[in-house]
PDB file of all heavy atoms in Angstrom:
ATOM      1  N   ILE A  19     113.383 101.975 101.565  1.00 98.00           N
ATOM      2  CA  ILE A  19     113.369 103.074 102.578  1.00 98.00           C
ATOM      3  C   ILE A  19     114.249 102.505 103.701  1.00 98.00           C
ATOM      4  O   ILE A  19     113.987 101.319 104.112  1.00 98.00           O
ATOM      5  CB  ILE A  19     112.098 103.405 103.129  1.00 98.00           C
ATOM      6  CG1 ILE A  19     111.245 104.070 101.941  1.00 98.00           C
ATOM      7  CG2 ILE A  19     112.264 104.514 104.189  1.00 98.00           C
ATOM      8  CD1 ILE A  19     109.825 104.378 102.368  1.00 98.00           C
ATOM      9  N   SER A  20     115.214 103.328 104.143  1.00 98.00           N
ATOM     10  CA  SER A  20     115.989 102.876 105.330  1.00 98.00           C
ATOM     11  C   SER A  20     116.120 104.019 106.274  1.00 98.00           C
ATOM     12  O   SER A  20     115.944 105.151 105.842  1.00 98.00           O
ATOM     13  CB  SER A  20     117.302 102.329 104.935  1.00 98.00           C
ATOM     14  OG  SER A  20     118.092 103.324 104.176  1.00 98.00           O
ATOM     15  N   ARG A  21     116.559 103.818 107.472  1.00 97.00           N
ATOM     16  CA  ARG A  21     116.763 104.868 108.346  1.00 97.00           C
ATOM     17  C   ARG A  21     118.020 104.620 109.228  1.00 97.00           C
ATOM     18  O   ARG A  21     118.231 103.426 109.540  1.00 97.00           O
ATOM     19  CB  ARG A  21     115.541 105.125 109.255  1.00 97.00           C
ATOM     20  CG  ARG A  21     115.140 104.062 110.198  1.00 97.00           C
ATOM     21  CD  ARG A  21     113.822 104.327 110.821  1.00 97.00           C
ATOM     22  NE  ARG A  21     113.753 105.482 111.747  1.00 97.00           N
ATOM     23  CZ  ARG A  21     112.726 106.076 112.180  1.00 97.00           C
ATOM     24  NH1 ARG A  21     111.541 105.722 111.675  1.00 97.00           N
ATOM     25  NH2 ARG A  21     112.771 107.078 112.976  1.00 97.00           N
ATOM     26  N   ASP A  22     118.682 105.659 109.677  1.00 95.00           N
ATOM     27  CA  ASP A  22     119.739 105.578 110.615  1.00 95.00           C
ATOM     28  C   ASP A  22     119.351 106.401 111.845  1.00 95.00           C
ATOM     29  O   ASP A  22     119.396 107.634 111.802  1.00 95.00           O
ATOM     30  CB  ASP A  22     121.010 106.049 109.952  1.00 95.00           C
ATOM     31  CG  ASP A  22     122.202 105.910 110.906  1.00 95.00           C
ATOM     32  OD1 ASP A  22     122.119 105.834 112.114  1.00 95.00           O
ATOM     33  OD2 ASP A  22     123.395 105.778 110.306  1.00 95.00           O
ATOM     34  N   ASN A  23     118.955 105.710 112.966  1.00 93.00           N
ATOM     35  CA  ASN A  23     118.453 106.493 114.062  1.00 93.00           C
ATOM     36  C   ASN A  23     119.541 107.203 114.861  1.00 93.00           C
ATOM     37  O   ASN A  23     119.276 108.042 115.610  1.00 93.00           O
ATOM     38  CB  ASN A  23     117.759 105.395 115.054  1.00 93.00           C
ATOM     39  CG  ASN A  23     116.429 105.024 114.438  1.00 93.00           C
ATOM     40  OD1 ASN A  23     115.785 105.634 113.575  1.00 93.00           O
ATOM     41  ND2 ASN A  23     115.947 103.940 114.908  1.00 93.00           N
ATOM     42  N   GLU A  24     120.854 106.850 114.534  1.00 93.00           N
ATOM     43  CA  GLU A  24     121.912 107.498 115.194  1.00 93.00           C
ATOM     44  C   GLU A  24     122.216 108.928 114.457  1.00 93.00           C
ATOM     45  O   GLU A  24     122.681 109.872 115.003  1.00 93.00           O
ATOM     46  CB  GLU A  24     123.080 106.715 115.337  1.00 93.00           C
ATOM     47  CG  GLU A  24     122.970 105.530 116.350  1.00 93.00           C
ATOM     48  CD  GLU A  24     124.345 104.863 116.539  1.00 93.00           C
ATOM     49  OE1 GLU A  24     125.365 105.308 116.009  1.00 93.00           O
ATOM     50  OE2 GLU A  24     124.277 103.935 117.329  1.00 93.00           O
ATOM     51  N   LYS A  25     121.855 108.873 113.117  1.00 95.00           N
ATOM     52  CA  LYS A  25     122.242 110.056 112.354  1.00 95.00           C
ATOM     53  C   LYS A  25     120.969 110.874 112.006  1.00 95.00           C
ATOM     54  O   LYS A  25     120.933 111.813 111.267  1.00 95.00           O
ATOM     55  CB  LYS A  25     122.898 109.593 110.977  1.00 95.00           C
ATOM     56  CG  LYS A  25     124.236 108.982 111.254  1.00 95.00           C
ATOM     57  CD  LYS A  25     124.948 108.729 109.928  1.00 95.00           C
ATOM     58  CE  LYS A  25     126.310 108.061 110.123  1.00 95.00           C
ATOM     59  NZ  LYS A  25     127.017 107.715 108.897  1.00 95.00           N
ATOM     60  N   ASN A  26     119.769 110.430 112.622  1.00 96.00           N
ATOM     61  CA  ASN A  26     118.610 111.049 112.296  1.00 96.00           C
ATOM     62  C   ASN A  26     118.214 111.235 110.854  1.00 96.00           C
ATOM     63  O   ASN A  26     117.730 112.369 110.429  1.00 96.00           O
ATOM     64  CB  ASN A  26     118.508 112.501 113.015  1.00 96.00           C
ATOM     65  CG  ASN A  26     118.514 112.323 114.550  1.00 96.00           C
ATOM     66  OD1 ASN A  26     118.552 111.295 115.097  1.00 96.00           O
ATOM     67  ND2 ASN A  26     118.379 113.470 115.210  1.00 96.00           N
ATOM     68  N   THR A  27     118.459 110.184 110.142  1.00 97.00           N
ATOM     69  CA  THR A  27     118.379 110.281 108.665  1.00 97.00           C
ATOM     70  C   THR A  27     117.546 109.114 108.073  1.00 97.00           C
ATOM     71  O   THR A  27     117.649 108.010 108.614  1.00 97.00           O
ATOM     72  CB  THR A  27     119.840 110.166 107.992  1.00 97.00           C
ATOM     73  OG1 THR A  27     120.612 111.265 108.501  1.00 97.00           O
ATOM     74  CG2 THR A  27     119.709 110.168 106.552  1.00 97.00           C
ATOM     75  N   VAL A  28     116.718 109.481 107.155  1.00 98.00           N
ATOM     76  CA  VAL A  28     115.964 108.439 106.408  1.00 98.00           C
ATOM     77  C   VAL A  28     116.337 108.657 104.952  1.00 98.00           C
ATOM     78  O   VAL A  28     116.523 109.750 104.440  1.00 98.00           O
ATOM     79  CB  VAL A  28     114.481 108.536 106.656  1.00 98.00           C
ATOM     80  CG1 VAL A  28     113.925 109.880 106.276  1.00 98.00           C
ATOM     81  CG2 VAL A  28     113.695 107.367 106.028  1.00 98.00           C
ATOM     82  N   LEU A  29     116.496 107.429 104.241  1.00 98.00           N
ATOM     83  CA  LEU A  29     116.884 107.390 102.852  1.00 98.00           C
ATOM     84  C   LEU A  29     115.781 106.619 102.041  1.00 98.00           C
ATOM     85  O   LEU A  29     115.064 105.916 102.474  1.00 98.00           O
ATOM     86  CB  LEU A  29     118.131 106.663 102.674  1.00 98.00           C
ATOM     87  CG  LEU A  29     119.444 107.188 103.448  1.00 98.00           C
ATOM     88  CD1 LEU A  29     120.617 106.177 103.167  1.00 98.00           C
ATOM     89  CD2 LEU A  29     119.840 108.534 102.976  1.00 98.00           C
ATOM     90  N   LEU A  30     115.623 107.221 100.882  1.00 98.00           N
ATOM     91  CA  LEU A  30     114.765 106.550  99.799  1.00 98.00           C
ATOM     92  C   LEU A  30     115.730 106.150  98.626  1.00 98.00           C
ATOM     93  O   LEU A  30     116.165 106.982  97.934  1.00 98.00           O
ATOM     94  CB  LEU A  30     113.728 107.571  99.411  1.00 98.00           C
ATOM     95  CG  LEU A  30     112.754 106.911  98.255  1.00 98.00           C
ATOM     96  CD1 LEU A  30     112.017 105.693  98.832  1.00 98.00           C
ATOM     97  CD2 LEU A  30     111.800 107.988  97.787  1.00 98.00           C
ATOM     98  N   GLN A  31     116.027 104.913  98.561  1.00 98.00           N
ATOM     99  CA  GLN A  31     116.863 104.425  97.443  1.00 98.00           C
ATOM    100  C   GLN A  31     115.858 104.067  96.357  1.00 98.00           C
ATOM    101  O   GLN A  31     114.970 103.075  96.535  1.00 98.00           O
ATOM    102  CB  GLN A  31     117.668 103.169  97.999  1.00 98.00           C
ATOM    103  CG  GLN A  31     118.392 102.481  96.793  1.00 98.00           C
ATOM    104  CD  GLN A  31     119.513 103.202  96.232  1.00 98.00           C
ATOM    105  OE1 GLN A  31     120.280 103.774  96.861  1.00 98.00           O
ATOM    106  NE2 GLN A  31     119.537 103.183  94.888  1.00 98.00           N
ATOM    107  N   MET A  32     116.100 104.599  95.153  1.00 98.00           N
ATOM    108  CA  MET A  32     115.233 104.271  94.019  1.00 98.00           C
ATOM    109  C   MET A  32     115.978 103.709  92.920  1.00 98.00           C
ATOM    110  O   MET A  32     116.968 104.291  92.457  1.00 98.00           O
ATOM    111  CB  MET A  32     114.526 105.625  93.569  1.00 98.00           C
ATOM    112  CG  MET A  32     113.839 106.335  94.727  1.00 98.00           C
ATOM    113  SD  MET A  32     112.979 107.835  94.155  1.00 98.00           S
ATOM    114  CE  MET A  32     114.365 108.935  93.838  1.00 98.00           C
ATOM    115  N   ASN A  33     115.620 102.495  92.546  1.00 98.00           N
ATOM    116  CA  ASN A  33     116.281 101.795  91.446  1.00 98.00           C
ATOM    117  C   ASN A  33     115.370 101.609  90.272  1.00 98.00           C
ATOM    118  O   ASN A  33     114.124 101.782  90.400  1.00 98.00           O
ATOM    119  CB  ASN A  33     116.718 100.430  91.898  1.00 98.00           C
ATOM    120  CG  ASN A  33     117.859 100.514  93.006  1.00 98.00           C
ATOM    121  OD1 ASN A  33     118.635 101.414  93.047  1.00 98.00           O
ATOM    122  ND2 ASN A  33     117.727  99.525  93.934  1.00 98.00           N
ATOM    123  N   SER A  34     115.909 101.388  89.064  1.00 98.00           N
ATOM    124  CA  SER A  34     115.153 101.080  87.883  1.00 98.00           C
ATOM    125  C   SER A  34     114.066 102.186  87.706  1.00 98.00           C
ATOM    126  O   SER A  34     112.863 101.983  87.477  1.00 98.00           O
ATOM    127  CB  SER A  34     114.455  99.753  87.950  1.00 98.00           C
ATOM    128  OG  SER A  34     115.348  98.691  88.104  1.00 98.00           O
ATOM    129  N   LEU A  35     114.453 103.496  87.796  1.00 98.00           N
ATOM    130  CA  LEU A  35     113.566 104.542  87.687  1.00 98.00           C
ATOM    131  C   LEU A  35     112.879 104.612  86.360  1.00 98.00           C
ATOM    132  O   LEU A  35     113.388 104.332  85.387  1.00 98.00           O
ATOM    133  CB  LEU A  35     114.265 105.927  87.980  1.00 98.00           C
ATOM    134  CG  LEU A  35     114.521 106.134  89.492  1.00 98.00           C
ATOM    135  CD1 LEU A  35     115.676 107.209  89.665  1.00 98.00           C
ATOM    136  CD2 LEU A  35     113.260 106.610  90.134  1.00 98.00           C
ATOM    137  N   LYS A  36     111.595 105.041  86.443  1.00 98.00           N
ATOM    138  CA  LYS A  36     110.750 105.115  85.242  1.00 98.00           C
ATOM    139  C   LYS A  36     110.337 106.581  85.014  1.00 98.00           C
ATOM    140  O   LYS A  36     110.312 107.354  85.982  1.00 98.00           O
ATOM    141  CB  LYS A  36     109.463 104.218  85.393  1.00 98.00           C
ATOM    142  CG  LYS A  36     109.804 102.805  85.674  1.00 98.00           C
ATOM    143  CD  LYS A  36     108.496 102.080  85.924  1.00 98.00           C
ATOM    144  CE  LYS A  36     108.799 100.569  86.193  1.00 98.00           C
ATOM    145  NZ  LYS A  36     107.456  99.864  86.557  1.00 98.00           N
ATOM    146  N   VAL A  37     109.945 106.878  83.807  1.00 97.00           N
ATOM    147  CA  VAL A  37     109.412 108.242  83.604  1.00 97.00           C
ATOM    148  C   VAL A  37     108.221 108.697  84.450  1.00 97.00           C
ATOM    149  O   VAL A  37     108.224 109.747  85.016  1.00 97.00           O
ATOM    150  CB  VAL A  37     108.996 108.396  82.033  1.00 97.00           C
ATOM    151  CG1 VAL A  37     108.421 109.725  81.803  1.00 97.00           C
ATOM    152  CG2 VAL A  37     110.216 108.305  81.131  1.00 97.00           C
ATOM    153  N   ASP A  38     107.488 107.670  84.834  1.00 97.00           N
ATOM    154  CA  ASP A  38     106.288 107.864  85.684  1.00 97.00           C
ATOM    155  C   ASP A  38     106.724 108.259  87.126  1.00 97.00           C
ATOM    156  O   ASP A  38     105.815 108.674  87.905  1.00 97.00           O
ATOM    157  CB  ASP A  38     105.403 106.672  85.603  1.00 97.00           C
ATOM    158  CG  ASP A  38     104.554 106.592  84.384  1.00 97.00           C
ATOM    159  OD1 ASP A  38     104.634 107.537  83.590  1.00 97.00           O
ATOM    160  OD2 ASP A  38     103.927 105.467  84.196  1.00 97.00           O
ATOM    161  N   ASP A  39     107.977 108.005  87.469  1.00 98.00           N
ATOM    162  CA  ASP A  39     108.473 108.287  88.802  1.00 98.00           C
ATOM    163  C   ASP A  39     108.742 109.811  88.978  1.00 98.00           C
ATOM    164  O   ASP A  39     109.005 110.296  90.075  1.00 98.00           O
ATOM    165  CB  ASP A  39     109.657 107.475  89.151  1.00 98.00           C
ATOM    166  CG  ASP A  39     109.319 106.028  89.259  1.00 98.00           C
ATOM    167  OD1 ASP A  39     108.368 105.682  89.776  1.00 98.00           O
ATOM    168  OD2 ASP A  39     110.261 105.280  88.817  1.00 98.00           O
ATOM    169  N   THR A  40     108.682 110.583  87.841  1.00 98.00           N
ATOM    170  CA  THR A  40     108.986 111.963  87.870  1.00 98.00           C
ATOM    171  C   THR A  40     107.986 112.637  88.784  1.00 98.00           C
ATOM    172  O   THR A  40     106.791 112.522  88.699  1.00 98.00           O
ATOM    173  CB  THR A  40     108.887 112.529  86.526  1.00 98.00           C
ATOM    174  OG1 THR A  40     109.876 112.006  85.669  1.00 98.00           O
ATOM    175  CG2 THR A  40     108.959 114.134  86.549  1.00 98.00           C
ATOM    176  N   ALA A  41     108.457 113.383  89.745  1.00 98.00           N
ATOM    177  CA  ALA A  41     107.555 114.045  90.783  1.00 98.00           C
ATOM    178  C   ALA A  41     108.498 114.877  91.791  1.00 98.00           C
ATOM    179  O   ALA A  41     109.702 114.720  91.719  1.00 98.00           O
ATOM    180  CB  ALA A  41     106.843 113.017  91.611  1.00 98.00           C
ATOM    181  N   VAL A  42     107.874 115.632  92.515  1.00 98.00           N
ATOM    182  CA  VAL A  42     108.475 116.157  93.745  1.00 98.00           C
ATOM    183  C   VAL A  42     108.262 115.277  94.884  1.00 98.00           C
ATOM    184  O   VAL A  42     107.189 114.818  95.156  1.00 98.00           O
ATOM    185  CB  VAL A  42     107.841 117.636  94.043  1.00 98.00           C
ATOM    186  CG1 VAL A  42     108.489 118.117  95.358  1.00 98.00           C
ATOM    187  CG2 VAL A  42     108.067 118.554  92.910  1.00 98.00           C
ATOM    188  N   TYR A  43     109.362 114.843  95.493  1.00 98.00           N
ATOM    189  CA  TYR A  43     109.351 113.866  96.552  1.00 98.00           C
ATOM    190  C   TYR A  43     109.480 114.622  97.885  1.00 98.00           C
ATOM    191  O   TYR A  43     110.263 115.457  98.098  1.00 98.00           O
ATOM    192  CB  TYR A  43     110.489 112.891  96.357  1.00 98.00           C
ATOM    193  CG  TYR A  43     110.151 111.911  95.293  1.00 98.00           C
ATOM    194  CD1 TYR A  43     110.214 112.269  93.950  1.00 98.00           C
ATOM    195  CD2 TYR A  43     109.870 110.595  95.626  1.00 98.00           C
ATOM    196  CE1 TYR A  43     109.876 111.296  92.986  1.00 98.00           C
ATOM    197  CE2 TYR A  43     109.555 109.644  94.681  1.00 98.00           C
ATOM    198  CZ  TYR A  43     109.617 110.023  93.337  1.00 98.00           C
ATOM    199  OH  TYR A  43     109.341 109.104  92.351  1.00 98.00           O
ATOM    200  N   TYR A  44     108.649 114.171  98.792  1.00 98.00           N
ATOM    201  CA  TYR A  44     108.617 114.772 100.142  1.00 98.00           C
ATOM    202  C   TYR A  44     108.814 113.661 101.218  1.00 98.00           C
ATOM    203  O   TYR A  44     108.256 112.553 101.164  1.00 98.00           O
ATOM    204  CB  TYR A  44     107.328 115.449 100.412  1.00 98.00           C
ATOM    205  CG  TYR A  44     106.930 116.483  99.531  1.00 98.00           C
ATOM    206  CD1 TYR A  44     106.180 116.318  98.381  1.00 98.00           C
ATOM    207  CD2 TYR A  44     107.277 117.876  99.865  1.00 98.00           C
ATOM    208  CE1 TYR A  44     105.765 117.290  97.562  1.00 98.00           C
ATOM    209  CE2 TYR A  44     106.902 118.824  99.063  1.00 98.00           C
ATOM    210  CZ  TYR A  44     106.181 118.591  97.884  1.00 98.00           C
ATOM    211  OH  TYR A  44     105.821 119.656  97.035  1.00 98.00           O
ATOM    212  N   CYS A  45     109.653 113.968 102.180  1.00 98.00           N
ATOM    213  CA  CYS A  45     109.748 113.087 103.400  1.00 98.00           C
ATOM    214  C   CYS A  45     108.857 113.822 104.427  1.00 98.00           C
ATOM    215  O   CYS A  45     108.623 115.017 104.438  1.00 98.00           O
ATOM    216  CB  CYS A  45     111.080 112.866 103.840  1.00 98.00           C
ATOM    217  SG  CYS A  45     111.916 114.370 104.519  1.00 98.00           S
ATOM    218  N   ALA A  46     108.355 112.960 105.358  1.00 98.00           N
ATOM    219  CA  ALA A  46     107.474 113.460 106.415  1.00 98.00           C
ATOM    220  C   ALA A  46     107.664 112.643 107.702  1.00 98.00           C
ATOM    221  O   ALA A  46     108.105 111.396 107.663  1.00 98.00           O
ATOM    222  CB  ALA A  46     105.990 113.342 105.934  1.00 98.00           C
ATOM    223  N   ALA A  47     107.348 113.288 108.778  1.00 97.00           N
ATOM    224  CA  ALA A  47     107.470 112.579 110.094  1.00 97.00           C
ATOM    225  C   ALA A  47     106.186 112.567 110.777  1.00 97.00           C
ATOM    226  O   ALA A  47     105.524 113.537 110.892  1.00 97.00           O
ATOM    227  CB  ALA A  47     108.554 113.313 110.955  1.00 97.00           C
ATOM    228  N   ASP A  48     105.843 111.385 111.313  1.00 94.00           N
ATOM    229  CA  ASP A  48     104.624 111.173 112.034  1.00 94.00           C
ATOM    230  C   ASP A  48     104.904 110.708 113.538  1.00 94.00           C
ATOM    231  O   ASP A  48     105.508 109.604 113.665  1.00 94.00           O
ATOM    232  CB  ASP A  48     103.802 110.110 111.313  1.00 94.00           C
ATOM    233  CG  ASP A  48     102.612 109.639 112.220  1.00 94.00           C
ATOM    234  OD1 ASP A  48     102.190 110.325 113.143  1.00 94.00           O
ATOM    235  OD2 ASP A  48     102.017 108.573 111.793  1.00 94.00           O
ATOM    236  N   GLY A  49     104.627 111.483 114.443  1.00 90.00           N
ATOM    237  CA  GLY A  49     104.862 111.102 115.844  1.00 90.00           C
ATOM    238  C   GLY A  49     103.843 110.339 116.457  1.00 90.00           C
ATOM    239  O   GLY A  49     103.842 110.068 117.763  1.00 90.00           O
ATOM    240  N   GLY A  50     102.791 109.982 115.802  1.00 84.00           N
ATOM    241  CA  GLY A  50     101.608 109.321 116.276  1.00 84.00           C
ATOM    242  C   GLY A  50     101.839 107.855 116.775  1.00 84.00           C
ATOM    243  O   GLY A  50     101.143 107.393 117.691  1.00 84.00           O
ATOM    244  N   GLY A  51     102.893 107.154 116.205  1.00 80.00           N
ATOM    245  CA  GLY A  51     103.203 105.933 116.655  1.00 80.00           C
ATOM    246  C   GLY A  51     102.353 104.717 116.175  1.00 80.00           C
ATOM    247  O   GLY A  51     102.535 103.575 116.495  1.00 80.00           O
ATOM    248  N   ARG A  52     101.341 105.050 115.260  1.00 88.00           N
ATOM    249  CA  ARG A  52     100.494 103.859 114.752  1.00 88.00           C
ATOM    250  C   ARG A  52     100.972 103.343 113.437  1.00 88.00           C
ATOM    251  O   ARG A  52     100.639 103.960 112.349  1.00 88.00           O
ATOM    252  CB  ARG A  52      99.104 104.418 114.729  1.00 88.00           C
ATOM    253  CG  ARG A  52      98.459 104.817 116.079  1.00 88.00           C
ATOM    254  CD  ARG A  52      97.044 105.197 115.869  1.00 88.00           C
ATOM    255  NE  ARG A  52      96.907 106.380 114.944  1.00 88.00           N
ATOM    256  CZ  ARG A  52      95.782 106.724 114.373  1.00 88.00           C
ATOM    257  NH1 ARG A  52      94.676 105.983 114.641  1.00 88.00           N
ATOM    258  NH2 ARG A  52      95.706 107.662 113.623  1.00 88.00           N
ATOM    259  N   PHE A  53     101.790 102.370 113.521  1.00 93.00           N
ATOM    260  CA  PHE A  53     102.472 101.852 112.199  1.00 93.00           C
ATOM    261  C   PHE A  53     101.560 100.890 111.573  1.00 93.00           C
ATOM    262  O   PHE A  53     101.780  99.643 111.619  1.00 93.00           O
ATOM    263  CB  PHE A  53     103.791 101.392 112.395  1.00 93.00           C
ATOM    264  CG  PHE A  53     104.563 101.205 111.169  1.00 93.00           C
ATOM    265  CD1 PHE A  53     104.956 102.362 110.378  1.00 93.00           C
ATOM    266  CD2 PHE A  53     104.847  99.950 110.600  1.00 93.00           C
ATOM    267  CE1 PHE A  53     105.701 102.224 109.131  1.00 93.00           C
ATOM    268  CE2 PHE A  53     105.600  99.868 109.414  1.00 93.00           C
ATOM    269  CZ  PHE A  53     106.028 101.006 108.752  1.00 93.00           C
ATOM    270  N   TYR A  54     100.486 101.282 111.046  1.00 92.00           N
ATOM    271  CA  TYR A  54      99.475 100.393 110.336  1.00 92.00           C
ATOM    272  C   TYR A  54      99.401 101.006 108.859  1.00 92.00           C
ATOM    273  O   TYR A  54      99.337 102.228 108.705  1.00 92.00           O
ATOM    274  CB  TYR A  54      98.147 100.454 110.943  1.00 92.00           C
ATOM    275  CG  TYR A  54      98.118 100.027 112.377  1.00 92.00           C
ATOM    276  CD1 TYR A  54      97.867 100.905 113.383  1.00 92.00           C
ATOM    277  CD2 TYR A  54      98.428  98.684 112.785  1.00 92.00           C
ATOM    278  CE1 TYR A  54      97.849 100.569 114.728  1.00 92.00           C
ATOM    279  CE2 TYR A  54      98.395  98.318 114.120  1.00 92.00           C
ATOM    280  CZ  TYR A  54      98.182  99.191 115.066  1.00 92.00           C
ATOM    281  OH  TYR A  54      98.187  98.853 116.464  1.00 92.00           O
ATOM    282  N   GLU A  55      99.261 100.118 107.909  1.00 90.00           N
ATOM    283  CA  GLU A  55      99.371 100.544 106.577  1.00 90.00           C
ATOM    284  C   GLU A  55      98.322 101.576 106.268  1.00 90.00           C
ATOM    285  O   GLU A  55      98.649 102.537 105.600  1.00 90.00           O
ATOM    286  CB  GLU A  55      99.319  99.380 105.576  1.00 90.00           C
ATOM    287  CG  GLU A  55      99.489  99.861 104.106  1.00 90.00           C
ATOM    288  CD  GLU A  55      99.801  98.635 103.167  1.00 90.00           C
ATOM    289  OE1 GLU A  55      99.515  97.476 103.696  1.00 90.00           O
ATOM    290  OE2 GLU A  55     100.060  98.845 102.029  1.00 90.00           O
ATOM    291  N   ILE A  56      97.121 101.335 106.709  1.00 91.00           N
ATOM    292  CA  ILE A  56      96.078 102.286 106.399  1.00 91.00           C
ATOM    293  C   ILE A  56      96.347 103.680 106.984  1.00 91.00           C
ATOM    294  O   ILE A  56      95.858 104.628 106.496  1.00 91.00           O
ATOM    295  CB  ILE A  56      94.670 101.719 106.953  1.00 91.00           C
ATOM    296  CG1 ILE A  56      93.564 102.519 106.355  1.00 91.00           C
ATOM    297  CG2 ILE A  56      94.604 101.672 108.436  1.00 91.00           C
ATOM    298  CD1 ILE A  56      92.182 101.945 106.617  1.00 91.00           C
ATOM    299  N   VAL A  57      97.025 103.738 108.144  1.00 91.00           N
ATOM    300  CA  VAL A  57      97.350 104.990 108.699  1.00 91.00           C
ATOM    301  C   VAL A  57      98.467 105.607 108.075  1.00 91.00           C
ATOM    302  O   VAL A  57      98.386 106.927 107.693  1.00 91.00           O
ATOM    303  CB  VAL A  57      97.650 104.763 110.269  1.00 91.00           C
ATOM    304  CG1 VAL A  57      98.140 106.061 110.910  1.00 91.00           C
ATOM    305  CG2 VAL A  57      96.544 104.218 110.966  1.00 91.00           C
ATOM    306  N   VAL A  58      99.623 104.968 107.885  1.00 93.00           N
ATOM    307  CA  VAL A  58     100.784 105.649 107.346  1.00 93.00           C
ATOM    308  C   VAL A  58     100.584 106.123 105.875  1.00 93.00           C
ATOM    309  O   VAL A  58     101.385 106.939 105.362  1.00 93.00           O
ATOM    310  CB  VAL A  58     102.005 104.789 107.447  1.00 93.00           C
ATOM    311  CG1 VAL A  58     102.266 104.389 108.860  1.00 93.00           C
ATOM    312  CG2 VAL A  58     101.926 103.571 106.543  1.00 93.00           C
TER     313      VAL A  58
END
């Protein structure tokens, strides 16, 4: 995952994709500011 704060863009680069990666993918924004693994 990467982000460009000037372009307001976040990317999800996926390599070595597997059949199990098949899904609908969603991006989401959290304005809460608590970047802890259990939270995010």
Side-chain angles (χ1 to χ4, degrees):
I19 299 173
S20 61
R21 67 189 291 162
D22 185 334
N23 289 339
E24 292 191 0
K25 296 181 178 179
N26 291 4
T27 299
V28 61
L29 302 178
L30 177 64
Q31 171 70 43
M32 304 183 289
N33 297 326
S34 303
L35 281 161
K36 304 176 181 180
V37 172
D38 286 349
D39 294 320
T40 296
V42 177
Y43 284 72
Y44 298 90
C45 66
D48 169 16
R52 298 184 299 163
F53 195 70
Y54 304 111
E55 186 168 8
I56 193 173
V57 174
V58 300

